Amino acid sequence: MPLPAHVPVLIAGGGPVGLMLAALLAEYGIATLTLEADDDYCSGSRAICISRRSQEIMGWVGADRPLTATGLAWTGGRSYYRNSEVLHFEMPHDPLQRYAPMVNIQQYAVEEYAHQAMQRHPELAALRWSARLAALRTDTDGVTAEVEAEGGRHTVRADWLIACDGGRSTVREAMGLRLEGMQYEGRYVIVDIEQASSRPVERLAWFDPPSNPGSTLLMHRQPGNVWRVDYQIRDDEDPEEAVKPENVLPRVQSHLDMIGETAPWKPLWISIYNAKCLTLGSYRHGRVLFAGDAAHLVPIFGVRGLNSGLDDAGNLAWKLAWVLQGQAPASLLDSYSVERVHATRQNLAYGAKSTEFMAPPDFGFRLMREAALRLALSDERVRQLINPRQSAPISYDASPLNLDDGAPQAGAAAAPGQPAPEALLLD
Ligand SMILES: Cc1cc2nc3c(=O)[nH]c(=O)nc-3n(C[C@H](O)[C@H](O)[C@H](O)COP(=O)(O)OP(=O)(O)OC[C@H]3O[C@@H](n4cnc5c(N)ncnc54)[C@H](O)[C@@H]3O)c2cc1C
């Protein structure tokens, strides 16, 4: 089928954020065309921890049901220093709440469920695989996009463009926009392995474990008998050597031996990661809006990447729908940028703290971490210092939509930006 010559909303990138935006906009009655450069959902080691807030947002389009049916719900975790447990934490959780604080599931499944949600409105939400946005021109009324698809180059005119094309965003590049911030040197090897296990689903962290002295190692269970294993490599290790199976498999085996996981296993994916704290200064540039990794790159520690991208989608979709349906002026979209840039800056502050603990960037941070871990062995009060701060909704204190300074109103159920508290209907 030929590409349409004109669409109200063009979404560049059919990753989890682009697909969720298309599903949400369709739910509000808005037609979109999503271009995805690849021919399928993502592969490799990507997001696995999906927050309660993300589950709620997916619930707005019915994508929560397959997610919670397949995903592994969890409420807490344990940290170990050498051989000893130094922290057992629980995230805020009430058994009456609809969603668990966190669900583990592979990112490709989130993409599949968002795509299924789009298909509830086939007349509104179109997705084109193997279609790459290659170039664009912006003007005051919209965007003219050059798209490579089906062996040719096509022109698509859009009233609005949403850039969801990930960390290496073509749209960002084409518009000459730069991410601001910094990146950390410390590197983690990320390994997904297949191994049956009957362990409870928890976030597990080991600092300086006997299996891998000097390293930090994280483990998460995923559906389908898959473990995510992340471990820190030494600063002097060559990253290319570090991901070679002959260097990775013995380290993983040593750790599985240490924790008594003896079932046969095989590696699925091996990659390397270093944390970045980067954001655009504004997520609205005229008729072009940025969301997800195209707008910001947040460290994986604390799981704020995809979760904050889904929050972007939840914030942007209703505002763009209102503007397109003539219920609000285009300036409503400025509040999307103000609110979500604010959220990113908070996420980056938390993410930086987590990264400095998980991969201390210098001697001072290493010393402080060592002190906290040693003290946590015997002093319960210190244990909160090593509690991983997992992703949580951010209040929009300075939103232009707030009536006053954003201070909670007397009697208000929730601060701006916070989900309304859940209440159980008895009848
Ligand atoms: C090891 C690892 C673990 C992680 N764990 C977590 C976690 O547990 N929880 C969490 O919240 N986050 C996590 N993240 C972060 C998460 O993976 C990202 O934040 C998420 O993928 C962002 O989604 P996105 O849709 O914005 O971008 P992407 O997933 O990068 O999707 C962008 C899409 O755009 C397509 N594209 C690119 N250029 C073009 C173009 N020019 N035209 C058309 N299509 C294009 C790409 O093919 C891609 O499909 C993790 C990341 C890594 C690397």
Side-chain angles (χ1 to χ4, degrees):
M1 233 210 312
L3 285 168
H6 172 259
V7 287
V9 180
L10 185 65
I11 298 177
V17 175
L19 296 174
M20 266 305 288
L21 260 163
L24 287 161
L25 283 163
E27 210 66 26
Y28 293 119
I30 302 298
T32 57
L33 170 65
T34 302
L35 306 172
E36 170 49 48
D38 283 345
D39 61 1
D40 205 346
Y41 307 127
C42 73
S43 56
S45 302
R46 303 294 299 269
I48 52 168
C49 301
I50 306 302
S51 68
R52 176 184 281 138
R53 178 64 176 156
S54 293
Q55 295 168 64
E56 281 168 5
I57 293 168
M58 292 183 73
W60 299 347
V61 292
D64 57 334
R65 278 190 290 277
L67 184 94
T68 52
T70 312
L72 307 178
W74 55 281
T75 59
R78 294 169 197 275
S79 297
Y80 301 87
Y81 177 48
R82 297 185 176 154
N83 279 317
S84 308
E85 183 175 307
V86 285
L87 176 72
H88 179 198
F89 72 92
E90 281 288 316
M91 290 179 280
H93 181 54
D94 169 346
L96 291 180
Q97 277 178 301
R98 184 163 178 195
Y99 300 110
M102 207 70 82
V103 160
N104 282 359
I105 194 162
Q106 289 87 343
Q107 178 167 317
Y108 60 75
V110 175
E111 296 179 6
E112 184 184 344
Y113 303 149
H115 185 203
Q116 284 167 1
M118 283 172 69
Q119 287 160 338
R120 301 198 319 177
H121 303 278
E123 72 293 356
L124 291 173
L127 168 65
R128 295 300 281 265
W129 298 108
S130 306
R132 203 177 75 83
L133 186 143
L136 66 132
R137 280 192 316 279
T138 59
D139 55 64
T140 47
D141 299 325
V143 171
T144 305
E146 296 295 319
V147 181
E148 287 169 0
E150 295 166 354
R153 211 168 160 112
H154 314 262
T155 302
V156 178
R157 176 77 189 162
D159 303 330
W160 296 88
L161 170 68
I162 314 181
C164 299
D165 51 347
R168 299 199 175 106
S169 169
T170 307
V171 178
R172 217 177 49 219
E173 190 90 342
M175 294 181 68
L177 300 170
R178 290 175 64 88
L179 294 170
E180 304 155 5
M182 45 93 73
Q183 64 176 342
Y184 289 90
E185 294 298 322
R187 285 173 198 271
Y188 267 71
V189 170
I190 316 280
V191 200
D192 281 7
I193 67 166
E194 196 175 295
Q195 184 191 44
S197 168
S198 54
R199 250 167 217 270
V201 183
E202 295 179 301
R203 175 201 185 265
L204 297 169
W206 286 265
F207 298 93
D208 195 15
S211 64
N212 283 276
S215 183
T216 299
L217 193 146
L218 287 165
M219 283 182 88
H220 273 287
R221 288 191 58 196
Q222 306 171 53
N225 287 328
V226 178
W227 280 111
R228 165 71 48 84
V229 183
D230 304 340
Y231 64 81
Q232 187 192 6
I233 60 169
R234 291 190 318 273
D235 292 347
D236 62 355
E237 277 183 79
D238 175 355
E240 278 179 34
E241 286 295 312
V243 291
K244 290 189 174 158
E246 63 264 33
N247 294 323
V248 173
L249 304 194
R251 290 195 189 184
V252 174
Q253 183 65 62
S254 164
H255 196 72
L256 294 173
D257 290 344
M258 187 190 98
I259 63 172
E261 291 288 351
T262 54
W265 64 278
K266 62 173 185 188
L268 299 175
W269 305 103
I270 302 174
S271 54
I272 195 138
Y273 172 82
N274 73 316
K276 298 173 187 68
C277 288
L278 296 167
T279 182
L280 285 175
S282 171
Y283 300 163
R284 181 179 177 207
H285 293 264
R287 292 291 185 113
V288 183
L289 298 143
F290 287 83
D293 278 14
H296 44 72
L297 288 170
V298 183
I300 55 172
F301 309 110
V303 299
R304 296 181 174 84
L306 172 53
N307 288 312
S308 65
L310 294 178
D311 241 323
D312 293 344
N315 189 306
L316 177 56
W318 71 266
K319 293 177 178 171
L320 186 54
W322 277 29
V323 170
L324 279 159
Q325 288 162 343
Q327 296 175 56
S331 59
L332 176 64
L333 293 165
D334 294 332
S335 73
Y336 161 70
S337 179
V338 172
E339 291 177 353
R340 294 310 300 160
V341 170
H342 168 74
T344 296
R345 296 204 188 284
Q346 301 276 316
N347 280 326
L348 291 178
Y350 287 123
K353 273 188 200 158
S354 301
T355 305
E356 282 151 7
F357 199 79
M358 299 308 294
D362 60 34
F363 174 75
F365 281 106
R366 270 196 296 280
L367 190 69
M368 290 301 285
R369 182 176 90 167
E370 176 90 9
L373 288 166
R374 278 172 188 260
L375 286 169
L377 285 168
S378 55
D379 189 337
E380 200 159 323
R381 288 166 306 175
V382 179
R383 292 185 186 156
Q384 276 319 304
L385 290 178
I386 58 174
N387 192 341
R389 302 167 190 83
Q390 304 286 355
S391 169
I394 308 280
S395 301
Y396 300 141
D397 306 327
S399 169
L401 301 185
N402 293 346
L403 284 177
D404 55 12
D405 61 359
Q409 302 282 301
Q418 292 291 329
E422 289 178 45
L424 189 66
L425 292 180
L426 293 176
D427 223 340

